[in-house]
Amino acid sequence: MSPCNFVRQNTIMVLRFFLAFFINSTSHNINHCSRLPLTIPTFPNFSTSDIESPLNSLNIAGHFDFNNIHTAASDFGNRFHFLPAGVLYPKTVSDVSSTIKHVFNMGPTSELTIAARGHGHSLRGQAQAPGGIVICMESLQESKMHVHTGAIPYIDVSGGVLWITILHETLKFGFAPKSWTDYLHLSVGGTLSNAGISGQAFRHGPQINNVYQLEVVTGTGDVVICSEKQNADLFYGVLGGLGQFGIITRARISLEPASKMVKWIRVLYSDFYSFTNDQERLISMENTFDYIEGFVIINRTGLVNNWRSSFKPKDPLQASQFISDGKTLFCLEMAKYFNPEDADIMNKKTDLLLSKLGYIQHTLFLSEVSYVEFLDRVHLSEIKLREKGLWDVPHPWLNLLVPRSSIYDFAAEVFGNILTDNSNGPILLYPVNQSRWNYKTSMITPEEDVFYLVAFLSSALPSSTGSDGLEHMLTRNRRILDFCLQAHLGVKQYLPHYGTREEWQAHFGPKWEVFARRKLAYDPLAILAPGQKIFQKANTIL
């Protein structure tokens, strides 16, 4: 062993000892009534040259930028803006590895942290690195996408590639990924670090359940290939691991044959029980729709008429007389994939499924669109909002996973008392099957066979102090979270954010010890993903 490697290995051992001591101490000395915020460490000031010169001397194919750094301090949430010291634009995985190794070798006294940034769709600065280094994953150019069309089809992609790009590439071969998010202009590494949930999750599970292999650069700079059979601990840890154990630089994603068309359906309910009962019936069936979601509509004027631009009502006359003003309604949204030559068979199957549902009969709306148009549907809304200057506004989103046993109590309070008017954005609400989720990953879900994703996807007007303003929405979110906690509903946050260590431990529950052990093993200096605010930089431990 070389002297350099000997020193490095001993450094890791020492750091792991201190981190283990710190984690063990905090887990046994927690005041569970405390509401104190997580302490953010302060670091001594270093000159710019102390950071820039060593980084510029690294032998990398890409480059660092220490001037144009403001984009790396912004995200979709548009609420938190922390400037990094610099941005790395890597061309190779080796660039990522070399940078992390450099920061790791600086030791625990360095203030530098590292965050991987995909397409910048984080909500609360999770992909930011205050005073540290942001790695622009979209600039990775080392290898192209490769589609394998054998008995077990898959695609190999870079961690910075967007899902919309994967869709277009795989369709050239007649295939597509099985599980999606509603918005496709997100990076592979970003969604796999969380979960990746959409209307296909009831059948295929989230995106993290549809990955065969990963290439990961750990917090020590090691490049590791991992899968269920190779380095499985890291594989499962990284999936849903909030970026805490490594940066995903490559992924092998499961594919299935892709259809060309989609039958897109919406129906309305006025009764929450009927709405959820039909949703649960559909996701439990073997022969059902390919996509099942739902959303809550509160006091929406002209709702049905607004749908006419994309959907055709089955009963135009009755639909035109439907009044949505002043009502809380529940929309069940479904889709059936098909090829044109199979349209008749698909329509018969769809009619049979619809005949078993208890929706308001004259609120049946139908549309037939291409497979791409359906999957990329949210992007059309993005274009319209950008044209109106309403995309780059604060997004105080709240995403929750609610156990089936608690969904009625949750709905009664939230939709009956807390949220009684338009929420300035969609409210998603639909069930998924626990059996389709892999418990070995870092992703945390309620411990019931069926649970619901409930997502409040609000957009705030920056200058408003009314119900469409940021403070009003944040207050509403706090009321919802406080109710869930006080009523012991067993709710878990999706895309979680907490302010204290005890809240993070409560979130992970029995999985906290495994999560902390993996941090100790793969990122002992707590260099990676500081924006999640789960672990502090290791120099505060020593």
Side-chain angles (χ1 to χ4, degrees):
M1 178 182 293
S2 68
C4 180
N5 285 337
F6 177 80
V7 171
R8 185 166 180 265
Q9 290 298 320
N10 276 276
T11 301
I12 293 174
M13 291 176 64
V14 172
L15 289 169
R16 285 179 176 174
F17 169 79
F18 280 109
L19 189 54
F21 176 79
F22 174 74
I23 291 170
N24 187 60
S25 297
T26 56
S27 65
H28 288 85
N29 295 280
I30 292 173
N31 175 6
H32 291 278
C33 297
S34 173
R35 302 292 295 178
L36 293 175
L38 186 67
T39 303
I40 305 300
T42 57
F43 301 100
N45 292 322
F46 290 89
S47 67
T48 304
S49 60
D50 288 334
I51 297 174
E52 292 184 22
S53 296
L55 290 173
N56 281 327
S57 67
L58 294 178
N59 183 21
I60 61 174
H63 71 279
F64 286 95
D65 191 332
F66 300 98
N67 298 311
N68 301 311
I69 57 176
H70 288 82
T71 299
S74 62
D75 56 28
F76 179 72
N78 202 19
R79 294 175 52 209
F80 299 91
H81 305 277
F82 301 109
L83 284 172
V87 179
L88 170 64
Y89 293 89
K91 288 187 178 180
T92 68
V93 174
S94 179
D95 292 353
V96 178
S97 174
S98 296
T99 301
I100 296 177
K101 282 182 179 179
H102 170 77
V103 174
F104 179 82
N105 288 332
M106 292 174 72
T109 60
S110 167
E111 68 180 280
L112 285 183
T113 55
I114 295 175
R117 175 187 170 91
H119 205 51
H121 210 260
S122 296
L123 296 172
R124 300 180 63 104
Q126 287 96 332
Q128 298 178 33
I133 302 167
V134 171
I135 300 178
C136 179
M137 297 301 294
E138 288 186 277
S139 73
L140 268 179
Q141 303 171 0
E142 190 165 45
S143 54
K144 297 181 179 180
M145 291 181 287
H146 172 71
V147 177
H148 176 78
T149 59
I152 304 177
Y154 61 82
I155 182 171
D156 283 325
V157 298
S158 167
V161 169
L162 304 186
W163 286 96
I164 183 64
T165 306
I166 295 173
L167 173 61
H168 288 303
E169 181 66 19
T170 54
L171 285 178
K172 296 175 184 177
F173 301 85
F175 290 90
K178 299 174 182 177
S179 190
W180 297 95
T181 52
D182 288 333
Y183 180 65
L184 303 189
H185 297 249
L186 306 172
S187 69
V188 168
T191 65
L192 296 185
S193 295
N194 290 282
I197 308 174
S198 187
Q200 305 85 5
F202 77 93
R203 170 174 287 167
H204 298 295
Q207 289 178 322
I208 57 174
N209 274 38
N210 294 276
V211 180
Y212 292 135
Q213 187 182 85
L214 296 173
E215 178 185 73
V216 175
V217 184
T218 69
T220 59
D222 296 321
V223 181
V224 182
I225 303 297
C226 54
S227 66
E228 291 182 349
K229 297 181 179 180
Q230 180 182 8
N231 299 307
D233 185 67
L234 179 61
F235 178 72
Y236 290 123
V238 167
L239 293 172
L242 306 176
Q244 293 301 301
F245 314 121
I247 295 175
I248 298 172
T249 51
R250 199 154 184 82
R252 178 167 292 175
I253 299 163
S254 174
L255 302 177
E256 67 177 358
S259 299
K260 294 180 180 178
M261 298 293 295
V262 174
K263 187 86 167 187
W264 189 4
I265 305 165
R266 285 180 180 174
V267 295
L268 287 173
Y269 295 74
S270 58
D271 176 65
F272 186 74
Y273 176 81
S274 298
F275 168 64
T276 53
N277 190 54
D278 279 355
Q279 283 185 316
E280 291 179 23
R281 179 188 295 120
L282 288 174
I283 70 167
S284 69
M285 298 170 63
E286 185 67 27
N287 296 310
T288 186
F289 293 99
D290 298 297
Y291 160 99
I292 299 170
E293 286 197 9
F295 47 95
V296 183
I297 303 159
I298 301 175
N299 191 22
R300 188 75 58 83
T301 302
L303 169 70
V304 169
N305 287 330
N306 292 337
W307 284 359
R308 289 177 182 269
S309 61
S310 303
F311 295 85
K312 293 181 179 180
K314 187 70 176 291
D315 187 339
L317 179 60
Q318 290 292 325
S320 65
Q321 297 174 359
F322 184 79
I323 298 174
S324 57
D325 303 45
K327 297 179 179 178
T328 296
L329 298 168
F330 309 98
C331 175
L332 175 53
E333 185 174 58
M334 302 152 283
K336 193 73 173 173
Y337 307 156
F338 70 101
N339 291 317
E341 61 270 21
D342 301 322
D344 290 342
I345 297 174
M346 179 277 301
N347 283 325
K348 290 179 180 178
K349 291 181 178 179
T350 298
D351 290 342
L352 179 61
L353 288 169
L354 290 173
S355 69
K356 300 177 180 179
L357 305 181
Y359 59 90
I360 304 170
Q361 288 301 310
H362 54 274
T363 64
L364 172 59
F365 280 72
L366 306 136
S367 180
E368 289 187 9
V369 297
S370 72
Y371 187 67
V372 172
E373 185 179 351
F374 173 73
L375 290 176
D376 199 28
R377 61 196 179 279
V378 177
H379 185 52
L380 296 177
S381 299
E382 175 189 356
I383 293 172
K384 294 177 182 178
L385 290 171
R386 284 190 183 278
E387 290 174 349
K388 297 177 182 179
L390 296 176
W391 184 257
D392 296 318
V393 298
H395 296 97
W397 287 10
L398 178 63
N399 296 269
L400 303 174
L401 301 176
V402 183
R404 180 186 181 277
S405 62
S406 300
I407 194 63
Y408 298 110
D409 290 339
F410 177 90
E413 176 64 19
V414 173
F415 305 128
N417 296 318
I418 297 177
L419 190 62
T420 57
D421 207 341
N422 194 312
S423 65
N424 292 94
I427 304 173
L428 305 183
L429 192 152
Y430 58 89
V432 293
N433 293 310
Q434 175 74 265
S435 61
R436 299 293 190 268
W437 295 60
N438 193 324
Y439 72 93
K440 295 180 182 179
T441 70
S442 293
M443 174 66 185
I444 301 298
T445 66
E447 296 180 358
E448 291 193 7
D449 292 340
V450 173
F451 57 88
Y452 281 76
L453 171 70
V454 186
F456 302 87
L457 310 182
S458 303
S459 299
L461 297 181
S463 59
S464 175
T465 57
S467 61
D468 55 359
L470 178 60
E471 287 305 316
H472 176 85
M473 295 177 187
L474 292 176
T475 299
R476 177 205 66 194
N477 289 351
R478 285 192 291 269
R479 287 185 64 192
I480 293 172
L481 290 172
D482 287 345
F483 166 70
C484 292
L485 184 63
Q486 294 165 8
H488 305 288
L489 298 186
V491 170
K492 294 294 184 181
Q493 286 190 37
Y494 175 54
L495 309 178
H497 174 83
Y498 297 100
T500 66
R501 176 60 59 84
E502 57 263 36
E503 287 174 324
W504 277 112
Q505 288 182 305
H507 171 76
F508 284 102
K511 283 190 172 183
W512 170 254
E513 290 188 8
V514 173
F515 195 82
R517 175 187 60 75
R518 285 171 171 163
K519 188 67 172 179
L520 186 66
Y522 304 115
D523 184 23
L525 279 180
I527 290 170
L528 301 177
Q532 296 284 0
K533 296 183 173 62
I534 304 174
F535 298 96
Q536 301 174 22
K537 189 76 193 303
N539 69 323
T540 61
I541 300 170
L542 303 180

